[in-house]
Amino acid sequence: MQYFVEISLLANWWANLVIIGMLAAALVMLVVLGIFAFYFRLWIQSIWTGAGITIFDLLGMSFRNVNAKMIVRSKIMAVQAGLGDSSGITTKALEAHNLAGGNVPQVIKAMIAANKAKTIQLTFREATAIDLAGRDVLEAVQTSVYPKVIDCPPRNAKRTSLDAMAKNGIQLKVKARVTVRANLQRLIGGATEETIIGRVGEGIVSAIGSAETHSNVLENPDLISKAVLSRRLDSNTAFEIVSIDIADIDVGENIGARLQADQAEADTQVARARAEGRRAMAVAEERENLAEIENARSAVVDAESEVPKAISEAFRNGGLSIMDYYSLRNVQADTDMRKSIALSSGSVGSSSK
């Protein structure tokens, strides 16, 4: 009896094991069917278009966290445009570019545009390098096919024109338009539009500054364009300058005359300052002379104060008698009278005149 019980228990255990296995297999099949259903449409599209992406490639993209839908559509777009694995556009290359942070659809569109143009030599490696460098590769290809017009100065700049002065001192205000074509071979490491704008602005200012008169520039605006183009301003840039067109020229201020007027005013102020300095020196010298005169007068007063002392000393020593003193006083009185008569006659003569 016990034997039959053990057999029944073993049979039940195997039955449960089979049921669990069947459930696991069913679950696996459901997962496989779900994955197959999820990628079935992409796989069918890849087969019908000849993109060459298998179901296992799609599963690998899921494990590598790659957007399979974007890769498939990009590969289909390239194949339909005649760009296959021979052009370097392989499924692995597209996955690698996506994992590196690149914009795969933008690169494929740029490759298709370059291939349709037939005049642009652009490889997939160059396109991906341009994209990873942060440049818009599709815009670069479009600019290479259809030249781009750049305003100089830009429309959003603080200054609305390029101001320069001719040799005769007249200011000219210039607006220019630069037509450029992208140079794909120099797009990586080449200077951007800001460099083109800066160089063209510098060339225009230099060309106007070398003109003898502003009339020459107004009569022949193409002189500016020729002078600027001859300087090869597009060297080491991502663009090739096609043409430089002078859109507008306006006459500004007469800066030369204003500078001359400012210089004359400055010279006048300098002359006034020098004259004021000389006048101050003359006044100081006059005051010094007056001080010396006062000193001389004080010396005379001091000397005159010694005369009575000398006379009294002469009286005491017997060197001067009373008669000699009276004679000296008479001579002094006579001298004073003659001086007063001379002064009065001089004043009368000047009044009569």
Side-chain angles (χ1 to χ4, degrees), residues 103-351:
N103 191 338
V104 174
Q106 197 81 342
V107 171
I108 297 301
K109 291 177 183 178
M111 290 291 297
I112 294 173
N115 184 53
K116 296 296 182 182
K118 296 185 182 300
T119 58
I120 302 175
Q121 299 296 328
L122 180 65
T123 63
F124 181 71
R125 184 185 296 273
E126 292 175 346
T128 54
I130 293 171
D131 184 62
L132 293 177
R135 301 290 182 87
D136 192 337
V137 60
L138 179 59
E139 182 183 359
V141 172
Q142 292 173 348
T143 306
S144 181
V145 177
Y146 302 103
K148 179 180 180 180
V149 178
I150 303 174
D151 292 325
C152 185
R155 295 183 179 180
N156 57 353
K158 295 182 179 179
R159 290 178 174 267
T160 59
S161 62
L162 296 171
D163 301 341
M165 185 180 66
K167 289 184 179 180
N168 61 346
I170 304 298
Q171 183 189 44
L172 293 178
K173 299 178 178 292
V174 179
K175 294 180 181 179
R177 289 183 177 178
V178 185
T179 304
V180 297
R181 178 186 291 115
N183 191 330
L184 299 178
Q185 282 67 37
R186 293 188 306 197
L187 197 61
I188 300 177
T192 57
E193 295 181 10
E194 289 76 8
T195 303
I196 294 290
I197 293 173
R199 290 182 180 180
V200 170
E202 179 185 357
I204 291 174
V205 172
S206 177
I208 295 176
S210 61
E212 293 296 332
T213 62
H214 70 287
S215 302
N216 296 338
V217 180
L218 294 175
E219 293 173 359
N220 300 302
D222 59 332
L223 295 176
I224 299 177
S225 303
K226 293 179 180 178
V228 176
L229 286 173
S230 63
R231 301 179 64 179
R232 299 296 302 169
L233 302 179
D234 54 1
S235 61
N236 297 324
T237 63
F239 300 95
E240 177 185 352
I241 297 178
V242 178
S243 65
I244 299 176
D245 303 319
I246 305 301
D248 187 21
I249 299 180
D250 294 328
V251 179
E253 302 177 2
N254 191 341
I255 298 180
R258 189 181 66 185
L259 292 176
Q260 291 178 359
D262 294 343
Q263 185 63 39
E265 181 65 23
D267 294 340
T268 302
Q269 292 180 359
V270 171
R272 288 177 180 174
R274 291 176 179 176
E276 184 65 23
R278 290 193 295 269
R279 190 188 68 80
M281 292 179 62
V283 170
E285 186 177 358
E286 180 182 3
R287 290 180 179 178
E288 290 178 358
N289 293 334
L290 291 176
E292 292 179 358
I293 291 173
E294 293 296 328
N295 292 332
R297 287 179 179 176
S298 63
V300 171
V301 172
D302 292 340
E304 289 179 349
S305 65
E306 295 294 330
V307 173
K309 294 180 181 180
I311 293 174
S312 61
E313 184 66 24
F315 276 126
R316 282 194 293 269
N317 296 333
L320 182 65
S321 63
I322 191 60
M323 295 302 296
D324 294 332
Y325 175 71
Y326 283 137
S327 298
L328 180 61
R329 295 288 294 174
N330 288 333
V331 171
Q332 185 176 3
D334 184 59
T335 303
D336 293 338
M337 181 182 65
R338 293 176 181 274
K339 185 183 296 183
S340 61
I341 292 173
L343 293 173
S344 62
S345 63
S347 62
V348 171
S350 62
S351 62

Side-chain angles (χ1 to χ4, degrees), residues 6 20 53-54 61 63 72 74 91-92 132 155 165 222 231 290 299 321 328 335 346-347 349 353:
E6 290 178 357
I20 293 173
I53 300 177
T54 65
M61 292 179 192
F63 291 119
V72 170
S74 299
T91 304
K92 291 184 178 180
L132 293 177
R155 295 183 179 180
M165 185 180 66
D222 59 332
R231 301 179 64 179
L290 291 176
S321 63
L328 180 61
T335 303
S347 62
K353 289 180 181 179

